[in-house]
C-alpha cells in the first residue's frame, strides 16, 4: 500500500462556493411571487434532482403516497399479526389435540364436536394477560412502536416533499399529473436543462448538462460501482469446502453506504463534498485508523442488533414468500440478477431505469444459458423421483375424487401438497428434450445486453466454471432469500474483519479518485468517463490514455460507459478526449465493416438466427442482434448465400461493424446529434451509404416487424438506442479479445 503514495492527486477544477451551508441541506429557498421564480437557487440539488427522478419513475404523487402509506400498514400488520399468532391462538384446540367443551359438560376423546376458528382464538382479556406477562414481548413491541412512529414522521415529511415536487412538475416543467406517464425521463431532463437557462436553479453554472444531472443523482452510486470495479469492497469470501463465494446483501450494502457516504461519521461532510482532510495524503495512516474504528463500531452495533434484525428478516420473508412458494414451488428455482451483479454490470452514470431495462432484456437469454447446464445424474434421479411421487399423488387425487371424506384423514392434504412440491422441483432438473446446445451463442447474446463479461469466459461458455461464475451475477431466488436471512449474522463479521483491513485502501481510493467539479461538487473521477485518466489500453484507447494499472478501470468500464452515455443522451457534447476516442472507434468500425457481411444479408438471415437462439418472440432490433451473433456459425457451416455461392467466414465483430457502419452512413451529412437519434428510422435518402439500399436499417426492421410500427417515437428510439449499444458492446469485446490474443 505504500506504493499508492507515489500517485499524485488528481488536479481539481477550481474551488466553488458550496450550494448550501451546513445544516440547511434539505431546505429550498422560496422567493415570493413578486420577487422571482419560486424555484430559484435550490439549496440541495442532489436531493432535488433525485426526488424529481424518483417522482417520475414511481408514477407521480398518488402512487408514491399510497406506497408510503401501505409500507406503514404492512409493518403494523406484520408486528400485530405475529403477536396475535404467538399469544392469542390456542394451538391445542386448533390441532384438535384437546376437546372443545361447548356445553360445559366433560367430553371424552371420542365425543369431540367440530372445531371452529373462534374456538381456537383466546378471549381478548386472556390474550392481553399473556402479552403483559411476557417481558420480551413488551420490549419488542415498544421497540417496534418507536420505529413505527419514526417511520410515520418520515412519511409525513416525504409526503410534503412529494407535494412540492408535484407543484414543480406542474408549474415549472409544465407537466400535468395525468400526462406524466407519457413523458420519458429524457424529455423531463430536457425541460430541466431549458428551465436552468431561464430560471437558474444552480447559481454556480448558467448551463446544466445531462452529465451534471446524472452526477447529482448518482454521486454515491458511481463511487460504489467504481469500488466494485476495482475489487475494493470485500464481497468475495473464501468459504471452506466451497471456495470463493460472492456475498452482498441489502443489509451489507446499507452498512457500506452508512460508513462511507451519509452516516454521521462518514467520509463526506455533506451530500456533495468530501471532507477536506481526506483529500490530503499527509495523514492517510491516521485517517485509516479513524475509519477502522468507525467500521469496528458499526460492526459491533450490527452484532448487538443481530437478533432483532434476524427475527424481522425471518418474519418478513415468511409473510412475503410463503404463499408464492405454495402456489408456485418452482419460483424458488427462478433466477434474478444479484445485487453484486447489478453493481458489477452497471455503467458509470447509468440510472436505475436504464439498468433495469438492460438487465430485463438480458434475462431470457441468461436464463436459457443457465438452464442449458443439466447434470445427467441429477436428470436420471429427478425422472425417477418424479415418477414415484406422481404415482402416489395420482392415487391420492383419485381417492379424493371418489370420496371427499378422504380429505378428513390426518395429514392427507399435507401429503398432497408435499408431493406436488417434490414433482415441481424435480421437473426443474429434467432437461427440455427440444433444447439446442449452443452455449457460446447464448452467452454472446447475454453479453449483448449486459455489456460486461470477464475475458476468460471467451471460448469457455460450455464449462461448468463459467456457469458457476455466471451464477454469481444471475443467482437463484432461493439463494437470494437465504443470503438475506443470513445477512444479519454474517454482516457484522464482514465489517469487523475484511472491511477494516481495507481501511487504508479506501482512504487512498477516495483521495486519488475524487475530483471537484464546479457547480456539482466532489464526484468520483471515474464518473467523468475520462479516457485519458481512466482508459484501458486493451479497450481501443491505446495511445489515448495515460492511466496506470491502478488508475484504469477494469473490463473496459470507462470506454463502455462513455459509449452508453453518449447513445442514451445524443444531445450531450463529450469533452475533447472523449470525442477523439469516439471518432477513433467509428473509424475502426468502418474499416472492419469492409470485410463484414452486408446489412441486407444479416436482415435476411434474422428469422433463421432467431430460431437458432430460440428468440422467435424478439422484436426487430433483437432479431438483428441474433443475426449478428449467429452469423459466424452459419458462415462456418457453409450456408449458401443468395448467389448460391458459399459465404466467406466472418466474425461477430465484422458483422456488428457492418451494421454500425450502415447505421452511421444512414445519417444526414453534417447533421447534429441533437436533431435525431442515430438509429431512428428516416424516410429520406442520404448520400454516402456504405451499402446500397433504399431504406436505412431501422426502416427495414420497422417494415419487417409490424409491432414496431405501432410504437411511439420515444419507445422506438429507446429500442434502437439499446440495439446500437448492444452492437457496440459485442464489437468492442470482440476487438479487445482479438488484441489480447
Amino acid at each position: 500500500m505504500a506504493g499508492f503514495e507515489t500517485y499524485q492527486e488528481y488536479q481539481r477544477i477550481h474551488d466553488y462556493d458550496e450550494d448550501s451551508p451546513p445544516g440547511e441541506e434539505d431546505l429550498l429557498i422560496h422567493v415570493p411571487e413578486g420577487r422571482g421564480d419560486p424555484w430559484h437557487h435550490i439549496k440541495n440539488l442532489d436531493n432535488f434532482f433525485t426526488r424529481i427522478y424518483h417522482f417520475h419513475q414511481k408514477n407521480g404523487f398518488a402512487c408514491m403516497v399510497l406506497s408510503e402509506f401501505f409500507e406503514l400498514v404492512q409493518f403494523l400488520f406484520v408486528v400485530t399479526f405475529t403477536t396475535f399468532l404467538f399469544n392469542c391462538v390456542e394451538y391445542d384446540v386448533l390441532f384438535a389435540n384437546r376437546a372443545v367443551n361447548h356445553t360445559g359438560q366433560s367430553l371424552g376423546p371420542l365425543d369431540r364436536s367440530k372445531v371452529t376458528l373462534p374456538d381456537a382464538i383466546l378471549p381478548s382479556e386472556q390474550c392481553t394477560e399473556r402479552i403483559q406477562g411476557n417481558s420480551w414481548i413488551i420490549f419488542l413491541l415498544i421497540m417496534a412502536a418507536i420505529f413505527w412512529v419514526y417511520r410515520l414522521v418520515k412519511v409525513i415529511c416525504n409526503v410534503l416533499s412529494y407535494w412540492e415536487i408535484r407543484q414543480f412538475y406542474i408549474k415549472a416543467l409544465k407537466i400535468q399529473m395525468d400526462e406524466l406517464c407519457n413523458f420519458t425521463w429524457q424529455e423531463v431532463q430536457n425541460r430541466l436543462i431549458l428551465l436552468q437557462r431561464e430560471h437558474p436553479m444552480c447559481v454556480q453554472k448558467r448551463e446544466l448538462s445531462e452529465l451534471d444531472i446524472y452526477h447529482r443523482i448518482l454521486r454515491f452510486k458511481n463511487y460504489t460501482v467504481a469500488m466494485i470495479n476495482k475489487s475494493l469492497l470485500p464481497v468475495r469470501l473464501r468459504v471452506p469446502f466451497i471456495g470463493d463465494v460472492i456475498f452482498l446483501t441489502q443489509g451489507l450494502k446499507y452498512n457500506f453506504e452508512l460508513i462511507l457516504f451519509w452516516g454521521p461519521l462518514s467520509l463526506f461532510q455533506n451530500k456533495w463534498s468530501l471532507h477536506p482532510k481526506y483529500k490530503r495524503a499527509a495523514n492517510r495512516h491516521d485517517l485509516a485508523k479513524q475509519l477502522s474504528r468507525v467500521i469496528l463500531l458499526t460492526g459491533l452495533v450490527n452484532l448487538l442488533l443481530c437478533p432483532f434484525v434476524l427475527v424481522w428478516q425471518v418474519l418478513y420473508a415468511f409473510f412475503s414468500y410463503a404463499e408464492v412458494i405454495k402456489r408456485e414451488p418452482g419460483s424458488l428455482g427462478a433466477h434474478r440478477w444479484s445485487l453484486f451483479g447489478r453493481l458489477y454490470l452497471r455503467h458509470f452514470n447509468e440510472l436505475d431505469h436504464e439498468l433495469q431495462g438492460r438487465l430485463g432484456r438480458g434475462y431470457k437469454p441468461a436464463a436459457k444459458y443457465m438452464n442449458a447446464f443439466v447434470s445427467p445424474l441429477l436428470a436420471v434421479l429427478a425422472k425417477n423421483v418424479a415418477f414415484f411421487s406422481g404415482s402416489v399423488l395420482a392415487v391420492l387425487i383419485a381417492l379424493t375424487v371418489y370420496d371427499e371424506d378422504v380429505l378428513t384423514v390426518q395429514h392427507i392434504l399435507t401429503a398432497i401438497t408435499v408431493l406436488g412440491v417434490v414433482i415441481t422441483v424435480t421437473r426443474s432438473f429434467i432437461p427440455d428434450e427440444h433444447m439446442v446446445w449452443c452455449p457460446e451463442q447464448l452467452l454472446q447474446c447475454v453479453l449483448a445486453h449486459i455489456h460486461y463479461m470477464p475475458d476468460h469466459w471467451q471460448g469457455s461458455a460450455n464449462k461448468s466454471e463459467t456457469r458457476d461464475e455466471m451464477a454469481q451475477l444471475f443467482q437463484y431466488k432461493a439463494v437470494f432469500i437465504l443470503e438475506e436471512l443470513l445477512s444479519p449474522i454474517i454482516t457484522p463479521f464482514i465489517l469487523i474483519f475484511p472491511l477494516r483491513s481495507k481501511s487504508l485502501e479506501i482512504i487512498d481510493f477516495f483521495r486519488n479518485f475524487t475530483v471537484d467539479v464546479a457547480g456539482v461538487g466532489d464526484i468520483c473521477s471515474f464518473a467523468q468517463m475520462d479516457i485519458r485518466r481512466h482508459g484501458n489500453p486493451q479497450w481501443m484507447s491505446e495511445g489515448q490514455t495515460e492511466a496506470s494499472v491502478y488508475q484504469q478501470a477494469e473490463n473496459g468500464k470507462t470506454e463502455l460507459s462513455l459509449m452508453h452515455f453518449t447513445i442514451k443522451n445524443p444531445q450531450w457534447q463529450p469533452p475533447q478526449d472523449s470525442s477523439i476516442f469516439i471518432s477513433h472507434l467509428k473509424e475502426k468500425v468502418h474499416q472492419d465493416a469492409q470485410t463484414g457481411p452486408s446489412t441486407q444479408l444479416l436482415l435476411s438471415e434474422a428469422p433463421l438466427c432467431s430460431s437458432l437462439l430460440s428468440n422467435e418472440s424478439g422484436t426487430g432490433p433483437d432479431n438483428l442482434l441474433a443475426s449478428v451473433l449467429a452469423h459466424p456459425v452459419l458462415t462456418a457451416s457453409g450456408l449458401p448465400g443468395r448467389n448460391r455461392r458459399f459465404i466467406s467466414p466472418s466474425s461477430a465483430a465484422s458483422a456488428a461493424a457492418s451494421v454500425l457502419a450502415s447505421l452511421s452512413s444512414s445519417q444526414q451529412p453534417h447533421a447534429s446529434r441533437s436533431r435525431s437519434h442515430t438509429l431512428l428510422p428516416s424516410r429520406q435518402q442520404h448520400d454516402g451509404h456504405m451499402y446500397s439500399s433504399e431504406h436505412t436499417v431501422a426502416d427495414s426492421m420497422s417494415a419487417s416487424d409490424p409491432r414496431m410500427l405501432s410504437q411511439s417515437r420515444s419507445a422506438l428510439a429507446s429500442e434502437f438506442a439499446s440495439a446500437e449499444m448492444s452492437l457496440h458492446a459485442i464489437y468492442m469485446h470482440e476487438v479487445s479479445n482479438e488484441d489480447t490474443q
Side-chain angles (χ1 to χ4, degrees):
M1 300 308 302
F4 289 169
E5 298 183 41
T6 60
Y7 293 106
Q8 296 181 349
E9 292 187 16
Y10 279 88
Q11 294 293 327
R12 292 183 171 82
I13 302 175
H14 60 276
D15 292 337
Y16 71 101
D17 295 330
E18 292 183 356
D19 283 350
S20 50
E24 297 183 6
E25 295 88 352
D26 296 322
L27 300 179
L28 304 181
I29 285 187
H30 290 272
V31 181
E33 291 290 338
R35 298 178 58 185
D37 187 85
W39 286 280
H40 184 274
H41 186 197
I42 296 173
K43 285 293 183 181
N44 187 352
L45 277 175
D46 282 33
N47 190 34
F48 187 68
F49 285 155
T50 301
R51 291 182 177 182
I52 290 175
Y53 173 71
H54 288 160
F55 191 90
H56 174 267
Q57 293 300 306
K58 295 181 180 179
N59 303 304
F61 180 79
C63 292
M64 297 181 75
V65 171
L66 204 59
S67 297
E68 294 273 7
F69 170 75
F70 278 113
E71 282 186 11
L72 286 175
V73 174
Q74 189 178 83
F75 180 84
L76 198 61
F77 170 79
V78 171
V79 173
T80 305
F81 191 49
T82 303
T83 305
F84 170 80
L85 291 177
F86 276 96
N87 297 276
C88 302
V89 178
E90 190 69 44
Y91 288 99
D92 285 338
V93 175
L94 185 65
F95 296 148
N97 295 328
R98 180 163 57 86
V100 181
N101 190 348
H102 292 281
T103 63
Q105 299 177 356
S106 177
L107 297 176
L110 300 178
D111 298 327
R112 296 171 180 173
S113 60
K114 187 175 182 179
V115 178
T116 61
L117 195 58
D119 294 333
I121 299 177
L122 295 176
S124 58
E125 297 81 5
Q126 190 174 352
C127 180
T128 305
E129 184 179 349
R130 277 194 177 188
I131 295 175
Q132 293 176 348
N134 192 326
S135 57
W136 274 106
I137 294 293
I138 297 279
F139 173 74
L140 292 175
L141 288 177
I142 292 175
M143 295 293 293
I146 293 174
F147 180 77
W148 190 84
V149 171
Y150 163 76
R151 284 289 302 151
L152 177 63
V153 174
K154 192 173 181 180
V155 165
I156 294 174
C157 295
N158 287 341
V159 170
L160 296 177
S161 172
Y162 299 155
W163 180 260
E164 191 166 20
I165 298 299
R166 178 184 182 274
Q167 296 300 104
F168 178 81
Y169 265 88
I170 295 174
K171 295 182 179 179
L173 299 182
K174 309 299 181 184
I175 299 176
Q176 301 300 320
M177 290 300 97
D178 55 349
E179 299 176 353
L180 181 63
C181 60
N182 299 326
F183 284 81
T184 65
W185 169 249
Q186 277 68 27
E187 292 170 335
V188 174
Q189 183 175 260
N190 290 337
R191 296 201 177 196
L192 279 174
I193 294 174
L194 292 176
L195 182 65
Q196 166 67 17
R197 298 171 184 171
E198 300 174 0
H199 307 283
M201 294 173 288
C202 175
V203 297
Q204 304 299 330
K205 296 183 70 173
R206 182 62 182 175
E207 294 281 342
L208 274 181
S209 69
E210 293 85 352
L211 190 59
D212 292 335
I213 296 176
Y214 275 67
H215 280 165
R216 291 279 190 177
I217 298 174
L218 300 171
R219 188 187 305 273
F220 296 151
K221 286 186 179 179
N222 281 327
Y223 273 108
T224 306
V225 171
M227 286 189 285
I228 290 291
N229 180 257
K230 299 298 290 183
S231 301
L232 184 58
L233 295 179
V235 297
R236 188 179 299 274
L237 308 176
R238 181 171 293 277
V239 181
F241 309 109
I242 298 179
D244 288 342
V245 174
I246 297 294
F247 186 85
L248 181 60
T249 61
Q250 293 291 347
L252 183 58
K253 178 174 174 285
Y254 177 88
N255 279 278
F256 286 158
E257 295 173 349
L258 178 70
I259 293 169
L260 299 176
F261 301 127
W262 50 265
L265 302 176
S266 68
L267 279 61
F268 280 74
Q269 61 181 358
N270 49 47
K271 294 183 179 180
W272 56 86
S273 179
L274 187 70
H275 199 286
K277 64 182 179 181
Y278 294 104
K279 301 178 182 180
R280 297 186 292 268
N283 54 348
R284 55 192 290 267
H285 289 283
D286 294 336
L287 294 175
K289 292 179 181 178
Q290 178 181 334
L291 178 61
S292 177
R293 289 192 294 269
V294 172
I295 295 173
L296 177 61
L297 176 62
T298 307
L300 293 177
V301 171
N302 274 267
L303 198 59
L304 181 64
L305 297 177
C306 173
F308 308 105
V309 179
L310 181 61
V311 170
W312 170 256
Q313 291 281 69
V314 172
L315 291 176
Y316 187 81
F318 175 79
F319 288 124
S320 299
Y321 299 108
E323 189 275 334
V324 176
I325 294 173
K326 180 184 180 302
R327 177 167 40 89
E328 299 179 13
S331 61
L332 289 178
H335 290 85
R336 69 184 303 277
W337 295 104
S338 67
L339 184 57
F340 170 77
R342 291 175 179 272
L343 292 174
Y344 176 84
L345 300 174
R346 190 168 195 152
H347 293 296
F348 295 123
N349 303 307
E350 184 175 24
L351 293 171
D352 291 343
H353 75 281
E354 296 171 344
L355 174 68
Q356 185 61 35
R358 187 160 59 85
L359 297 184
R361 284 185 288 271
Y363 182 90
K364 285 186 177 181
K368 290 174 183 176
Y369 173 77
M370 296 295 289
N371 294 334
F373 289 83
V374 180
S375 170
L377 180 61
L378 283 178
V380 173
L381 292 175
K383 288 180 181 179
N384 286 275
V385 172
F387 171 77
F388 296 125
S389 301
S391 301
V392 177
L393 181 61
V395 171
L396 293 179
I397 292 177
L399 292 174
T400 303
V401 172
Y402 176 75
D403 189 349
E404 63 181 11
D405 289 337
V406 175
L407 293 175
T408 61
V409 177
Q410 191 175 22
H411 300 315
I412 195 68
L413 284 177
T414 303
I416 292 175
T417 302
V418 170
L419 289 172
V421 170
V422 170
I423 293 173
T424 303
V425 171
T426 53
R427 282 178 179 173
S428 64
F429 294 100
I430 302 175
D432 183 3
E433 59 182 6
H434 304 293
M435 182 183 63
V436 179
W437 175 252
C438 49
E440 287 291 345
Q441 282 66 43
L442 283 175
L443 193 58
Q444 283 289 92
C445 191
V446 176
L447 172 64
H449 296 293
I450 67 175
H451 302 169
Y452 293 99
M453 185 177 75
D455 295 336
H456 62 270
W457 286 10
Q458 187 75 16
S460 303
N462 61 330
K463 296 182 179 180
S464 59
E465 292 82 0
T466 303
R467 191 261 184 201
D468 293 340
E469 292 183 13
M470 179 67 184
Q472 296 174 350
L473 307 178
F474 196 58
Q475 63 184 176
Y476 285 112
K477 185 173 290 187
V479 175
F480 162 75
I481 296 174
L482 181 62
E483 287 182 351
E484 290 296 331
L485 292 177
L486 294 177
S487 179
I489 301 174
I490 300 177
T491 293
F493 297 99
I494 293 179
L495 297 177
I496 294 174
F497 298 107
L499 186 62
R500 283 183 65 209
S501 64
K502 288 181 173 288
S503 297
L504 186 59
E505 294 179 56
I506 293 173
I507 294 297
D508 288 330
F509 178 88
F510 277 90
R511 184 185 71 255
N512 292 322
F513 299 120
T514 295
V515 291
D516 186 0
V517 178
V520 177
D522 289 334
I523 64 170
C524 180
S525 59
F526 287 100
Q528 291 186 303
M529 302 173 294
D530 191 334
I531 299 296
R532 182 175 60 85
R533 291 183 177 181
H534 299 300
N536 192 323
Q538 297 179 359
W539 286 82
M540 305 179 66
S541 59
E542 187 173 5
Q544 304 176 44
T545 180
E546 302 173 0
S548 63
V549 175
Y550 172 66
Q551 295 169 329
Q552 68 189 20
E554 307 300 330
N555 301 318
K557 180 77 77 172
T558 302
E559 291 79 4
L560 287 168
S561 297
L562 174 62
M563 294 307 303
H564 178 267
F565 190 84
T566 304
I567 291 171
K568 287 293 185 180
N569 299 273
Q571 297 181 355
W572 178 62
Q573 298 297 327
Q576 183 178 0
D577 293 337
S578 300
S579 298
I580 293 174
F581 172 79
I582 295 173
S583 300
H584 173 71
L585 176 61
K586 289 183 178 180
E587 292 175 2
K588 176 69 173 171
V589 165
H590 280 271
Q591 291 175 5
D592 290 347
Q594 302 293 337
T595 59
S598 68
T599 309
Q600 295 304 318
L601 175 61
L602 291 173
L603 288 173
S604 67
E605 293 176 351
L608 177 60
C609 297
S610 298
S611 177
L612 177 63
L613 296 178
S614 303
N615 191 38
E616 292 85 352
S617 61
T619 59
D622 291 334
N623 292 335
L624 181 60
L625 285 175
S627 181
V628 170
L629 295 171
H631 182 76
V633 178
L634 298 180
T635 56
S637 63
L639 181 70
R642 289 182 177 179
N643 56 2
R644 302 301 178 187
R645 293 182 301 175
F646 287 103
I647 305 169
S648 59
S650 59
S651 65
S654 60
S658 296
V659 179
L660 289 171
S662 180
L663 292 169
S664 177
S665 63
S666 65
Q667 288 184 293
Q668 293 184 5
H670 310 295
S672 63
R673 290 181 58 87
S674 60
R675 302 179 69 176
S676 64
H677 199 279
T678 309
L679 293 168
L680 280 178
S682 174
R683 296 295 176 186
Q684 301 178 5
Q685 299 295 322
H686 306 304
D687 298 329
H689 282 255
M690 182 168 292
Y691 307 102
S692 57
S693 62
E694 295 181 357
H695 306 291
T696 65
V697 176
D699 291 328
S700 301
M701 285 190 289
S702 299
S704 62
D705 192 348
R707 291 173 295 176
M708 297 180 63
L709 297 176
S710 62
Q711 295 184 10
S712 65
R713 181 177 176 84
S714 60
L716 196 59
S718 177
E719 287 289 333
F720 282 112
S722 300
E724 182 181 3
M725 184 59 216
S726 297
L727 291 169
H728 275 102
I730 295 170
Y731 176 77
M732 294 173 71
H733 270 274
E734 289 289 328
V735 172
S736 175
N737 290 328
E738 290 174 2
D739 293 344
T740 303
Q741 293 173 0

